[in-house]
Amino acid sequence: MTSTVRVSDVTKAYGRVEAVRGASFALGQGELVALIGHNGAGKTTLMKLMLGLIRPTSGAIEVLGDNPAAGEFAGRRQLGYLPENVSFDPALTGRETQAFYARLKREPVAKALDLLDAVGLGAASRRRVSTYSKGMRQRLGLAQALLGAPRVLLLDEPTTGLDPELRQTFYDIIARLAAAGTTVLLSSHALTELEERAGRVIIMNRGIKVADGSIDELRRLARLPTRIRLKVAGLAPSEMPPWAPADATCRRLNGHIVEIDAAPERKIELLHRATAAGNAVEDVDVVPPTLDELYAHFLRQSEQAP
Amino acid sequence: MNILIIAAKEIHQAIRNRWVLAATLLLAGLALSLTFLGSAPTGNVGVRTLDVVVVSLSSLTIFLVPLIALLISHDAIVGEMERGTMLLLLSYPVARWQVLLGKFLGHLAVLAFATCLGYGAAVGALAATGSQIDSDSFLAFAAMVGSSVLLGAAFVAIGYLISALVRDRGTAAGICIGLWLLLVLIYDMALLGVLALDQGRSISAAALNAMLLANPTDAYRLINLTGFANVSTFAGMAGLAQTSSLTIPVLLSALLGWTLLPLGLAALAFSRREL
Ligand SMILES: Nc1ncnc2c1ncn2[C@@H]1O[C@H](COP(=O)(O)OP(=O)(O)OP(=O)(O)O)[C@@H](O)[C@H]1O
Ligand SMILES: [Mg+2]
């Protein structure tokens, strides 16, 4: 797998604030990477560094063969960016704006205007941007980021302000692009949305990369318990089933649901015991640790490590 | 190519925002009223009216064109940064100097259009009311329009330099107003004061020339008031015109320098900006 973006030991300091500290990673072709972290963790700063909008205090960055800090931009024809608070010239219409950006990327204007329909801006695209709602501006922002056939997409909180329908369309579009080889880096706070979609997650905490890997890898690393929920008939309200292991935490959720925190490698054993015991297990739910929980875990871990 | 795309967008926007309309109407209105007010009393005594118009219009230009130029340029960089549009533009395959040059060409086109049309209206009106216009006068007039655009270019470039250096739009606007007052009003008064006090003892002609070239509005004034014999007699500058060693090429290069130097510095400052 060839990497399109390489970040090597990059630090960016604003005065005394170190927005990014010693971050290193490479993003490969066709990867869909979620960049998550608290407010001020350095997500936007990382993207700006990749675009050469700011220069690293130390370390090196390479994007599509360019060194953005030196002002190289040959590769940017194949790069799409959506800033977190996207804004456009209010006096121009959506179509005029899109056509302007298409010309800058030497893309056929007609094809660029089709993108406006793809993001559902159709009728509104003939109106001035100053009349747009927040979500409509975000849609126009997406349309310009998708111009051409981007090999790298940097999307800073792309789904804020989008309605549920377009959110779905948006994830479909980027999944298709990633499948075709585009590197997609997207920052977001909507962790539940990313869970099923991101092939890889990078977690930032106060400028430091604290975790990096697929969700499954992160789950293995975190060793957080999987929750097994069993619906068991014929148990007294506070009674625990006899087969519940003594060393695992068990809870009664309501009338007849028992929840057990199972260490990753004991999941199967527990299920065996539950079904073998003969109690009437009517239903089973296995809930692996969510991205929210993983995120909290890695944050806690990095705070404890000095 | 990138430069032209950006220039075209800048022009498009200026038309949309009615900047072009406002500047053209303002210049045309003032030019027309000066033409008719100014020529009424002298109309019958054999004075060539267009020469008078050149004198009065160039005095008007010194106030107005720098002001319009600074108004459209002070916002060019810092304003786009504040509104957040610069962030997106710079993520495209364009160099920062191309952005600056594109904006410059666009703004200059707007200014040139407004000046040519606005002042052209004055000539048109003169011709329509039957004044005779000979080629000498017309040449002086054309030179006046051309140098007015050049003066505008200098102030657009100065506005960019300020815009590339400061942190927010308010500061840029403040500095531009201060600079306008300084170059257009205070500088000449101070210069006159110094000359009157000095009585020609220690300030040599060369030093005076240097002081005149150090202000683009003075270079402009000298081009128009002393450059053409037919005009300088009305401007009361005939004496100065004969003795001054500041020839038209020198004065034009001064104006050109006042355009290129700030533009280059603005490009340098902009290329180092983080956003
Ligand atoms: N221009 C700047 N000058 C000074 N400090 C800055 C500047 N830009 C960002 N910072 C600081 O850098 C840190 C990282 O900011 P950044 O915008 O990258 O956060 P983020 O992860 O994108 O947060 P959010 O989720 O709120 O968007 C913050 O502490 C912020 O205050
Ligand atoms: Mg951010």
Side-chain angles (χ1 to χ4, degrees):
Chain A
M1 189 174 59
T2 37
S3 53
T4 45
V5 177
R6 254 191 298 276
V7 174
S8 331
D9 199 21
V10 165
T11 295
K12 173 67 192 175
Y14 289 111
R16 288 214 316 284
V17 182
E18 285 194 318
V20 173
R21 282 187 272 180
S24 296
F25 53 84
L27 308 181
Q29 257 177 25
E31 274 196 297
L32 207 170
V33 186
L35 184 61
I36 64 179
H38 58 87
N39 292 129
K43 305 180 294 293
T44 301
T45 306
L46 267 176
M47 292 199 184
K48 286 185 177 178
L49 284 165
M50 291 175 193
L51 290 162
L53 297 170
I54 51 180
R55 287 179 296 273
T57 312
S58 68
I61 297 172
E62 192 190 309
V63 177
L64 291 171
D66 291 334
N67 172 10
E72 296 171 6
F73 57 82
R76 272 205 230 138
R77 271 189 65 186
Q78 297 175 307
L79 182 145
Y81 172 52
L82 174 63
E84 61 181 341
N85 297 310
V86 67
S87 55
F88 301 99
D89 275 309
L92 301 185
T93 67
R95 291 170 76 86
E96 288 163 349
T97 306
Q98 180 77 348
F100 167 67
Y101 288 121
R103 283 187 205 107
L104 281 181
K105 274 196 178 158
R106 310 282 188 274
E107 290 295 330
V109 171
K111 236 172 85 192
L113 294 181
D114 289 343
L115 279 173
L116 295 177
D117 295 329
V119 299
L121 210 56
S125 67
R126 289 172 197 280
R127 299 205 325 242
R128 291 190 187 199
V129 176
S130 57
T131 67
Y132 281 16
S133 70
K134 175 178 164 51
M136 287 158 79
R137 270 200 306 278
Q138 191 74 3
R139 287 174 181 221
L140 182 56
L142 272 178
Q144 64 78 30
L146 298 174
L147 272 172
R151 287 179 58 206
V152 172
L153 266 180
L154 304 177
L155 308 171
D156 205 348
E157 304 190 22
T159 54
T160 47
L162 293 188
D163 58 41
E165 189 192 343
L166 194 78
R167 227 169 250 243
Q168 191 57 49
T169 317
F170 162 74
Y171 282 116
D172 290 347
I173 293 175
I174 59 165
R176 204 154 0 118
L177 283 171
T182 304
T183 305
V184 183
L185 179 67
L186 77 97
S187 84
S188 179
H189 294 294
L191 302 189
T192 29
E193 282 177 20
L194 296 173
E195 201 161 288
E196 313 122 48
R197 289 157 175 132
R200 178 176 163 194
V201 180
I202 295 178
I203 303 179
M204 301 288 296
N205 179 31
R206 294 202 260 155
I208 299 174
K209 185 182 92 172
V210 294
D212 181 354
S214 71
I215 295 205
D216 284 336
E217 279 162 2
L218 295 189
R219 283 193 181 124
R220 263 201 304 283
L221 280 176
R223 301 198 39 79
L224 289 179
T226 294
R227 268 171 307 188
I228 298 179
R229 284 186 191 154
L230 300 151
K231 192 168 171 193
V232 186
L235 274 183
S238 61
E239 187 192 355
M240 286 299 165
W243 42 262
D247 55 345
T249 324
C250 299
R251 278 181 296 274
R252 291 298 300 265
L253 287 190
N254 57 26
H256 28 243
I257 293 186
V258 181
E259 186 180 87
I260 305 171
D261 289 346
E265 68 279 1
R266 293 192 60 190
K267 272 188 298 203
I268 302 296
E269 180 208 329
L270 259 165
L271 284 173
H272 271 304
R273 283 168 70 158
T275 44
N279 275 60
V281 175
E282 292 174 349
D283 200 4
V284 183
D285 258 333
V286 179
V287 188
T290 61
L291 187 52
D292 270 300
E293 289 163 327
L294 288 170
Y295 171 64
H297 168 83
F298 282 105
L299 234 54
R300 226 174 324 141
Q301 194 183 49
S302 74
E303 292 297 322
Q304 279 156 10
Chain B
M1 187 64 190
N2 280 339
I3 299 175
L4 292 183
I5 295 170
I6 291 170
K9 172 179 172 259
E10 214 59 49
I11 294 170
H12 190 170
Q13 241 176 307
I15 294 172
R16 227 3 112 63
N17 290 328
R18 310 228 160 72
W19 257 112
V20 179
L21 189 70
T24 311
L25 285 183
L26 181 68
L27 289 177
L30 285 168
L32 284 174
S33 41
L34 273 184
T35 306
F36 289 110
L37 292 179
S39 62
T42 54
N44 299 323
V45 285
V47 177
R48 287 175 303 186
T49 17
L50 191 55
D51 292 345
V52 180
V53 170
V54 167
V55 173
S56 48
L57 269 189
S58 55
S59 310
L60 171 75
T61 302
I62 287 176
F63 287 92
L64 216 51
V65 168
L67 194 63
I68 295 175
L70 289 174
L71 269 178
I72 48 182
S73 65
H74 80 274
D75 190 53
I77 295 169
V78 76
E80 279 220 30
M81 281 186 182
E82 245 173 53
R83 284 188 296 272
T85 44
M86 191 63 93
L87 203 65
L88 191 54
L89 181 57
L90 293 184
S91 78
Y92 275 76
V94 283
R96 296 192 183 190
W97 65 266
Q98 292 175 327
V99 172
L100 194 77
L101 209 58
K103 280 177 171 288
F104 179 74
L105 289 185
H107 285 155
L108 194 60
V110 169
L111 207 63
F113 178 84
T115 314
C116 292
L117 214 67
Y119 289 0
V123 183
L126 274 185
T129 53
S131 304
Q132 80 213 43
I133 295 170
D134 61 34
S135 61
D136 274 357
S137 306
F138 191 77
L139 196 66
F141 178 80
M144 193 268 293
V145 173
S147 56
S148 301
V149 174
L150 196 54
L151 180 68
F155 275 88
V156 169
I158 292 170
Y160 287 168
L161 177 57
I162 294 166
S163 196
L165 287 174
V166 301
R167 193 77 69 76
D168 58 275
R169 296 164 74 184
T171 317
I175 294 178
C176 281
I177 291 173
L179 200 70
W180 179 80
L181 281 174
L182 178 73
L183 292 180
V184 171
L185 296 173
I186 300 171
Y187 192 88
D188 284 355
M189 285 197 278
L191 194 58
L192 274 180
V194 169
L195 288 179
L197 282 179
D198 186 63
Q199 300 281 356
R201 272 169 302 202
S202 54
I203 296 178
S204 65
L208 177 61
N209 284 345
M211 282 191 275
L212 289 174
L213 290 180
N215 182 343
T217 60
D218 280 327
Y220 171 85
R221 201 193 310 268
L222 289 175
I223 291 174
N224 287 293
L225 299 189
T226 66
F228 294 86
N230 48 336
V231 174
S232 58
T233 40
F234 299 120
M237 302 271 261
L240 183 55
Q242 279 146 24
T243 55
S244 174
S245 59
L246 294 176
T247 56
I248 296 262
V250 173
L251 292 166
L252 282 180
S253 352
L255 272 187
L256 208 61
W258 268 106
T259 308
L260 297 181
L261 188 70
L263 202 58
L265 290 176
L268 190 69
F270 184 33
S271 73
R272 292 165 173 277
R273 276 291 283 256
E274 299 211 319
L275 72 170

